Amino acid sequence: MAKGKQSGQGTPATVTLTKAGVTFTTHLYEHDPAAKSYGLEAAEALGLQPGQVFKTLLVEVDGKLSVGVVPVDKQLDLKAVAAALNGKKATMADPAAAERITGYVVGGISPIGQKRLLPTVVDETATIHETVYVSGGRRGLDLGLSPTDLISLTSARTAPIAR
C-alpha cells in the first residue's frame, strides 16, 4: 500500500491522514443518489465485503454528541454504544446537527477529520481486518486504512456496538 495522494480529492479526512503520515488508499465510485444505503452501495461498487466497510453514525449519548463506527451491513446498537461511552441513553443525532458538527454531508461523514474530535467507538470487528474502509468525507469516496490507524486518529475505543 502506498501513501494516499490527494490528487484533487482532498477532504479534511485525506488531509488529516496525510499530515499524520498514515498509509491509506483512496477508492472512488459513482454515487447513485437513489441508493437506499450509502455504505452498502460503497461496498458493492468497490467489490468489498460489507463487514470490512464501516459507516459513521452520529449519536447523542446523554445529550452529548458522539460517533459510532459499525460495519455497513449491521446496525448500531444504541444501548451498547451508550454503555461503551459510560452513558445511560443514546439516540440517533439529528442529520442537520451531524452535518454542522462534523463538517461533512450525511452519506459522506468520515470518522476522520471532523471539525471537532468527538467521543468515538469503533465496533470491535474492525480489528479482525488488515484494512477497513470508511467514508473519505464525501459521497463516492472511501478510504482504506488499518484499523489501528483509524482507532488512533479518532482516539476511539473499541466495543461490540453492532447488531
Side-chain angles (χ1 to χ4, degrees):
M1 240 193 285
K3 285 225 168 128
K5 302 240 186 305
Q6 292 187 36
S7 63
Q9 305 301 328
T11 66
T14 60
V15 170
T16 298
L17 289 165
T18 301
K19 281 185 180 172
V22 169
T23 298
F24 68 99
T25 56
T26 57
H27 304 269
L28 294 166
Y29 61 94
E30 192 64 39
H31 166 64
D32 177 1
K36 289 182 173 121
S37 165
Y38 297 121
L40 289 173
E41 174 194 31
E44 187 176 323
L46 298 173
L48 298 168
Q49 292 298 315
Q52 197 175 3
V53 181
F54 285 72
K55 57 187 170 185
T56 305
L57 301 169
L58 264 73
V59 294
E60 277 191 44
V61 177
D62 297 341
K64 294 183 180 157
L65 283 174
S66 302
V67 177
V69 183
V70 297
V72 298
D73 60 346
K74 305 284 185 196
Q75 291 184 333
L76 178 64
D77 182 328
L78 292 170
K79 286 183 181 179
V81 77
L85 292 167
N86 301 313
K88 293 185 188 329
K89 184 178 181 195
T91 57
M92 293 305 296
D94 173 68
E99 290 182 347
R100 190 173 52 255
I101 295 296
T102 64
Y104 293 120
V105 297
V106 170
I109 295 177
S110 179
I112 301 161
Q114 295 180 4
K115 285 182 182 178
R116 271 192 349 209
L117 187 62
L118 297 170
T120 301
V121 183
V122 174
D123 187 69
E124 65 185 7
T125 60
T127 61
I128 66 172
H129 301 286
E130 186 177 314
T131 302
V132 293
Y133 299 84
V134 297
S135 174
R138 65 177 176 79
R139 296 172 189 154
L141 173 64
D142 267 34
L143 305 175
L145 72 161
S146 80
T148 305
D149 287 333
L150 172 64
I151 292 161
S152 174
L153 279 171
T154 58
S155 300
R157 59 185 73 179
T158 57
I161 60 167
R163 58 178 167 87

